[in-house]
């Protein structure tokens, strides 16, 4: 029998911070010209480390775990996103890193807010409420390209930054590293880990819309090589009707830090009970979207909700053999639940409007009638991941090798219902936002069931051909199996054996510059979105192929350079890329099945700058330019759906995020930032275009002493009204102007 769930109670969340270390290195500014030649560029601006943190957090050196960058920096020079701990200069692909310092400076409390400040990322406002994140125009969320500490993190959840040290975005195909998905790239969230000192931090924030948030970050030294770290969050806001109510806790205990055998156990729990501002209706004027209503106006029902919880436990063991060899094994198991019940807001037809006249920008007024249509989506995922990775460097056949190899097992048991709308909803009017209307949630929701199992083997070798030239080569094989069972009791099994190669060449003539060329592949199985309709395929044998369509395939070619400038204070990375999905699923016009007949590409430039330009001036820039993007092959020939020759939806030419801070006085630091996204179409609607937009954020921070500081943020300072997330027939507005004050205490 198919399982059912009944719509149930509500939930909540919170946030936190970290310590310091020290940078060092050398590199001439002339490399900046080389970087721009490789990719295209801007310049940028900076910030300085908080007086509070630099003096309250003395340098601590911990054997094998000492950090090469301070935790209050806008830049890093090492990452684990390429499997194993690697210098960014040794990863032959574009990588953008949003550090904890940047998240704190800009008050980026939500995972999606972080990605909105990362160039190349756009958002589709999903029809069933699942906001689909795009990178270079390719879906991340539907393909499962969100990770936590290198382990797959299901799309079906809310994410908060309270337990994150940084967020890393690896751009371009990367199935050799991560398996299925990763056409546009992957996003890896790096959790906070215990460190060997006593340090605690509490942040209390209050702001517009009745918004308040408290986070705690408590690190306790429990022994010479052991520490406990606990991060907590409570966040509540009225936000003019689109309420936030969440709470979370994440304790982690490490022992044997830096020794031959290091262990870590952790627990993460976040629960939330929010009210979603699902969408606003638009006006279309000559095919251009005109936002219609104030961004803060909430027209959903008081009974609407987006609630759920994420809970997982993890265990990790690192064995260091000596001589640089290391075996890291990690086990994680968790449950992720989400229940969304929301209102789709549209203008009522002419017959329901005052005077029987259709709505236009000219006659829009307080009495204009809005309809509310129900949308519901329920999902539960139980995910178990076991990974074991071995890394070592050694001399063989006259050259030096740096090998990374591993095995990974993942199992996901999922329940889904993407169409649980419920009873009819009452209308409202433009002049009565947040009117308090509600309906009873009496739904009994049948659930489709999915059981996905994947086992992977991979190996990569970086061979030092000369002191300046390195060859990178890797291969991964995945055995993928998925079982489906729908609400009528029909079942289906699909299997795939998938190979993913990766090659790259690194030229590193000195310690401050690195040039790369690389080729990587990716694939997306037809099971990635859990969206199969089994009934029709089983009752009509001619449709059966829809269930077992082979994977889509993609490739990425990249040429770029990475540079440490200004005595290792400023990181600059630039690359030319060509991303192509050449085996894309299309619907057969003659039958309800999928064909691998589509093809699309995106060609452009990535530029990243991060670090300190002077002791008082810091900056972060993320910029993506995609001058060429096209649907190269498609069988769509009629209607408004995108056709061959069109630019793909959600792929603007220009995307940029700039953040800069300056220490005006020893206790006073000010900052400003810009977010820009060029004009774009919704996915699947060639007749509609959303205008480009630029928003301005401001910040000022004053340190009263070494332990106490006050920061004020003004986001969207000009109160710009713009379409942030797009769907074929509606948009979700970007956040209105908000002001937030944060008091931070370190002890």
């Amino acid at each position: 029998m198919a399982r059912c769930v009944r719509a149930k109670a509500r939930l909540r969340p919170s946030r936190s911070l970290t310590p310091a270390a020290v940078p060092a290195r050398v590199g001439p500014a002339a490399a900046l010209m080389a970087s721009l030649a490789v990719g295209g560029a801007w310049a940028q601006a900076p910030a300085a480390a908080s007086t509070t943190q630099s003096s309250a957090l003395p340098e601590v050196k911990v054997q094998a775990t000492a950090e090469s960058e301070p935790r209050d920096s806008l830049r890093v020079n090492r990452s684990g996103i390429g499997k194993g701990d690697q210098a960014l200069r040794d990863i032959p692909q574009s990588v953008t890193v949003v550090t904890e310092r940047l998240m704190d400076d800009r008050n980026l409390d939500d995972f999606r807010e972080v990605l909105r400040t990362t160039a190349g990322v756009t958002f589709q406002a999903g029809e069933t409420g699942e906001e689909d994140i795009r990178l270079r125009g390719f879906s991340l969320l539907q393909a499962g390209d969100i990770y936590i500490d290198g382990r797959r993190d299901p799309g079906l959840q809310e994410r908060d930054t309270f337990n994150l040290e940084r967020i890393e975005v690896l751009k371009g195909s990367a199935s050799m590293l991560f398996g299925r998905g990763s056409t546009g790239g992957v996003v890896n969230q790096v959790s906070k880990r215990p460190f060997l000192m006593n340090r605690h931090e509490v942040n209390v924030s209050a702001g517009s819309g009745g918004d308040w948030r408290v986070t705690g970050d408590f690190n306790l030294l429990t022994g010479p090589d052991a520490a406990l770290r606990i991060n907590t969050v409570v966040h509540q806001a009225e936000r003019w009707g689109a309420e936030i109510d969440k709470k979370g806790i994440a304790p982690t205990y490490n022992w044997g830090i830096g020794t031959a055998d290091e262990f870590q156990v952790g627990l993460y729990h976040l629960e939330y009970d929010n009210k979603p501002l699902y969408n606003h209706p638009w006006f279309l004027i000559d095919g251009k979207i005109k936002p219609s209503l104030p961004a803060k106006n909430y027209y959903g029902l008081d009974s609407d909700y987006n609630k759920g919880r994420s809970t997982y436990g993890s265990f990790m063991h690192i064995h260091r053999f000596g001589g640089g060899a290391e075996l890291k094994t990690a086990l994680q198991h968790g449950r992720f639940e989400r229940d969304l019940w929301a209102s789709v807001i549209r203008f009522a037809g002419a017959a329901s409007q005052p005077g029987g006249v259709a709505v236009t920008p000219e006659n829009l007024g307080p009495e204009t009638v809005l309809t509310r249509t129900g949308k519901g989506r329920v999902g539960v995922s139980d995910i178990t991941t076991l990974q074991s990775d071995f890394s070592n460097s050694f001399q063989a056949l006259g050259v030096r090798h740096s090998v990374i190899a591993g095995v990974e097992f993942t199992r996901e048991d999922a329940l889904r219902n993407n169409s649980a709308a419920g009873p009819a909803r009452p209308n409202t009017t433009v002049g009565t936002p947040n009117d308090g209307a509600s309906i009873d949630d009496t739904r009994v929701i049948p659930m489709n069931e999915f059981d996905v199992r994947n086992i992977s083997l991979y190996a990569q070798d970086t061979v030092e051909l000369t002191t300046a030239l390195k060859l990178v080569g890797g291969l991964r094989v995945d055995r993928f199996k998925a079982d489906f069972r729908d609400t009528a009791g029909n079942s289906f099994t699909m299997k795939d054996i998938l190979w993913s190669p990766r090659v790259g060449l690194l030229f590193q003539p000195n310690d401050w510059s690195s040039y790369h060329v690389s080729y990587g592949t990716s694939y997306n199985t037809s099971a990635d979105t859990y969206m199969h309709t089994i009934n029709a395929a089983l009752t009509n044998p001619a449709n059966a192929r829809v269930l077992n369509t082979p994977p889509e395939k993609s490739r990425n070619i990249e040429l770029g350079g990475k540079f440490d400038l200004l005595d290792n204070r400023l990181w600059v990375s630039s690359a030319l890329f060509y991303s192509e999905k050449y085996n894309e699923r299309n619907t057969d016009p003659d039958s309800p099945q999928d064909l691998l007949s589509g093809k699309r590409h995106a060609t452009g430039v990535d530029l990243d700058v991060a670090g300190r330009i002077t002791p008082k001036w810091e900056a972060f820039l993320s910029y993506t330019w995609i001058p060429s993007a096209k649907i190269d092959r498609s069988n769509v020939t009629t209607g408004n759906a995108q056709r061959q020759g069109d630019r793909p939806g959600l792929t603007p030419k220009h995307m940029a995020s700039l953040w800069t801070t300056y220490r005006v006085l020893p206790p006073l630091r000010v900052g400003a930032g810009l977010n820009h996204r060029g004009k774009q179409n919704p996915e699947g609607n060639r007749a509609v275009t959303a205008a480009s937009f630029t928003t301005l954020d401001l910040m000022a921070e004053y340190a009263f002493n070494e332990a106490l500081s006050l920061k004020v943020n003004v986001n969207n300072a000009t109160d710009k009204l713009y379409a942030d997330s797009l769907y074929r027939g509606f948009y979700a507005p970007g956040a209105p102007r908000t002001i937030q004050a944060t008091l931070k205490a370190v002890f």
Side-chain angles (χ1 to χ4, degrees):
M1 294 292 292
R3 300 189 215 177
C4 295
V5 298
R6 186 174 294 275
K8 37 190 187 293
R10 307 198 168 187
L11 322 172
R12 305 183 188 180
S14 170
R15 165 190 142 185
S16 171
L17 303 175
T18 348
V22 184
R25 276 168 67 118
V26 176
L32 182 58
M33 296 303 295
S35 128
L36 302 185
V38 172
W42 286 25
Q44 191 173 353
S50 161
T51 311
T52 300
Q53 287 190 329
S54 61
S55 53
L57 308 175
E59 177 184 0
V60 174
K61 294 184 178 174
V62 182
Q63 303 170 51
T65 59
E67 297 190 23
S68 57
E69 284 293 329
R71 293 186 176 182
D72 66 350
S73 174
L74 295 180
R75 60 149 294 168
V76 296
N77 59 22
R78 302 191 70 82
S79 170
I81 200 168
K83 293 291 187 185
D85 179 36
Q86 291 180 285
L88 287 178
R89 70 199 307 263
D90 289 336
I91 299 175
Q93 283 180 245
S94 295
V95 182
T96 300
V97 181
V98 179
T99 65
E100 185 182 5
R101 168 64 173 278
L102 183 58
M103 289 188 279
D104 290 342
D105 271 3
R106 304 192 75 166
N107 269 10
L108 304 176
D109 301 327
D110 181 85
F111 174 77
R112 288 162 298 192
E113 292 175 359
V114 176
L115 293 185
R116 283 183 172 89
T117 64
T118 304
V121 177
T122 54
F123 299 87
Q124 173 168 279
E127 182 178 20
T128 52
E130 188 70 58
E131 187 173 53
D132 185 2
I133 302 167
R134 304 297 175 98
L135 181 55
R136 295 178 177 172
F138 300 99
S139 173
L140 289 179
L141 201 60
Q142 289 187 0
D145 294 330
I146 311 297
Y147 289 79
I148 181 74
D149 299 321
R151 298 179 285 277
R152 194 175 293 272
D153 198 30
L156 194 73
Q157 60 170 307
E158 295 286 300
R159 297 177 176 87
D160 194 279
T161 62
F162 80 99
N163 192 46
L164 295 184
E165 181 177 292
R166 63 182 183 270
I167 291 178
E168 306 167 324
V169 182
L170 177 70
K171 299 179 180 179
S173 299
S175 283
M176 184 256 128
L177 297 172
F178 293 96
R180 72 184 194 271
S182 68
T183 299
V186 299
V187 180
N188 184 44
Q189 305 158 87
V190 180
S191 300
K192 295 177 180 179
R193 296 181 57 185
F195 51 94
L196 296 179
M197 64 184 297
N198 288 310
R199 180 187 184 275
H200 315 299
E201 183 175 303
V202 174
N203 287 262
V204 180
S205 301
S208 305
D211 192 307
W212 68 269
R213 178 181 174 94
V214 179
T215 62
D217 184 352
F218 309 100
N219 194 86
L220 300 98
L221 185 65
T222 61
D225 59 10
L228 171 67
R229 191 170 187 178
I230 302 173
N231 281 277
T232 61
V233 65
V234 175
H235 189 176
Q236 293 188 332
E238 186 274 328
R239 292 200 178 175
W240 308 281
E243 297 176 4
I244 293 176
D245 187 355
K246 54 184 179 175
K247 59 189 176 185
I249 186 168
T252 307
Y253 182 58
N254 265 49
W255 69 97
I257 297 175
T259 67
D261 284 287
E262 180 175 342
F263 299 86
Q264 177 182 295
V265 292
L267 176 69
Y268 177 93
H269 177 77
L270 177 71
E271 60 184 61
Y272 52 92
D273 185 4
N274 305 331
K275 281 194 176 71
L277 195 166
Y278 189 94
N279 79 297
H280 279 178
W282 63 40
F283 290 116
L284 281 183
I285 300 175
D286 297 328
K288 295 179 174 57
I289 293 172
K290 177 180 175 58
S292 58
L293 303 169
K296 66 174 63 174
N297 283 15
Y298 173 77
Y299 292 102
L301 294 175
D302 191 55
S303 51
D304 286 356
Y305 58 77
N306 177 19
K307 62 190 175 186
R309 55 171 59 89
S310 302
T311 305
Y312 58 84
S314 60
F315 171 81
M316 182 185 70
H317 171 236
I318 301 175
H319 179 69
R320 300 181 175 97
F321 296 91
E326 181 177 286
L327 178 66
K328 177 181 177 181
T329 302
L331 174 66
Q332 179 175 299
H333 175 75
R335 166 163 281 209
F336 306 87
E337 305 171 58
R338 181 171 182 255
D339 184 358
L340 176 128
W341 199 38
S343 299
V344 181
I345 309 302
R346 299 288 179 92
F347 291 121
S352 300
Q353 297 295 345
V357 178
V359 183
T360 66
E362 290 72 30
N363 65 21
L364 178 68
E367 303 305 316
T368 300
V369 178
L370 301 171
T371 62
R372 294 188 275 215
T373 304
K375 282 290 182 182
R377 180 168 186 162
V378 182
V380 180
S381 294
D382 291 292
I383 298 183
T384 302
T385 302
L386 176 63
Q387 294 176 334
S388 191
D389 301 314
F390 175 78
S391 59
N392 192 20
S393 295
F394 56 89
Q395 200 80 16
L397 302 176
V399 293
R400 187 155 190 83
H401 300 258
S402 296
V403 173
I404 306 171
V407 59
E408 176 182 326
F409 170 78
T410 303
R411 175 163 185 165
E412 179 175 359
D413 297 310
L415 303 175
R416 295 286 190 275
N417 187 308
N418 294 335
S419 184
R425 295 166 177 244
N427 292 345
T428 187
T429 62
V430 167
T432 58
N434 195 24
D435 63 5
S438 65
I439 60 175
D440 292 333
D441 186 356
T442 57
R443 298 170 299 161
V444 175
I445 304 170
M447 305 289 279
N448 297 311
E449 301 178 30
F450 307 90
D451 184 4
V452 177
R453 296 168 301 287
N454 193 85
I455 187 165
S456 311
L457 296 171
Y458 81 91
Q460 177 179 281
D461 189 9
T462 301
V463 183
E464 296 185 17
L465 302 175
T466 70
T467 56
L469 198 61
K470 297 178 181 178
L471 177 65
V472 179
L475 183 65
R476 179 185 180 115
V477 59
D478 289 87
R479 182 184 181 275
F480 177 84
K481 181 182 178 184
D483 295 316
F484 302 84
R485 183 181 179 88
D486 69 10
T487 56
N490 300 307
S491 61
F492 176 79
T493 298
M494 63 177 299
K495 300 177 182 178
D496 278 308
I497 301 291
L498 301 148
W499 297 85
S500 303
R502 183 194 196 207
V503 293
L505 191 66
L506 294 162
F507 177 59
Q508 299 173 336
N510 46 53
D511 66 352
W512 55 265
S513 65
S514 177
Y515 304 88
H516 67 266
V517 59
S518 64
Y519 172 85
T521 65
S522 64
Y523 64 88
N524 296 97
T525 69
S526 56
D528 284 343
T529 57
Y530 308 109
M531 295 284 284
H532 288 303
T533 302
I534 299 174
N535 293 340
L538 293 181
T539 55
N540 182 354
N543 299 338
R545 282 193 301 166
V546 69
L547 293 174
N548 205 18
T549 305
E552 297 179 303
K553 296 181 180 180
S554 306
R555 54 191 160 217
N556 183 73
I557 302 170
E558 186 171 307
L559 171 67
K562 299 183 173 86
F563 308 93
D564 278 319
L565 307 179
L566 305 180
D567 294 331
N568 196 44
R569 298 195 310 266
L570 191 68
W571 172 260
V572 177
S573 173
S574 187
L576 298 168
F577 64 83
Y578 178 80
S579 296
E580 179 186 56
K581 182 177 283 189
Y582 58 92
N583 217 23
E584 185 173 33
R585 282 187 288 272
N586 274 187
T587 300
D588 188 335
D590 300 318
S591 66
Q593 65 184 27
D594 288 340
L595 300 175
L596 294 178
S597 59
K599 182 178 178 181
R600 68 170 66 191
H601 79 271
T603 303
V605 172
D606 282 322
L607 174 67
D608 289 281
V609 182
R612 184 171 287 126
I613 298 172
T614 72
K616 296 181 179 180
W617 184 24
E618 283 186 292
F620 171 88
L621 171 68
S622 176
Y623 172 65
T624 297
W625 176 43
I626 305 179
S628 174
K630 184 168 39 171
I631 297 175
D632 300 295
R633 190 167 60 236
S634 174
N635 56 15
V636 176
T637 58
T638 60
N640 284 334
Q642 292 186 302
R643 309 174 198 172
Q644 184 171 311
D646 286 352
R647 187 178 181 91
L650 301 170
T651 314
K653 286 187 178 181
H654 298 280
M655 290 168 276
S657 178
L658 170 67
W659 179 252
T660 180
T661 64
Y662 192 82
R663 188 167 295 281
V664 180
L665 299 169
L668 178 62
R669 193 165 60 98
V670 297
L674 297 172
N675 291 322
H676 174 80
R677 202 180 305 158
K679 67 179 182 179
Q680 57 182 328
N681 294 91
E683 181 74 34
N685 193 337
R686 68 198 308 263
V688 172
T689 301
S692 64
F693 64 85
T694 302
T695 60
L696 170 67
D697 299 334
L698 302 172
M699 182 273 286
E701 182 185 52
Y702 188 85
F704 299 101
N705 52 46
E706 294 182 346
L708 191 66
S709 63
L710 177 66
K711 178 166 61 73
V712 176
N713 289 84
V714 182
N715 292 325
N716 191 3
T718 63
D719 205 20
K720 176 76 172 178
L721 179 60
Y722 62 97
D724 179 33
S725 301
L726 300 174
Y727 197 65
R728 295 185 183 100
F730 57 78
Y731 74 98
R737 178 172 53 228
T738 58
I739 302 174
Q740 192 169 35
T742 303
L743 188 66
K744 178 173 70 175
V746 180
F747 53 97

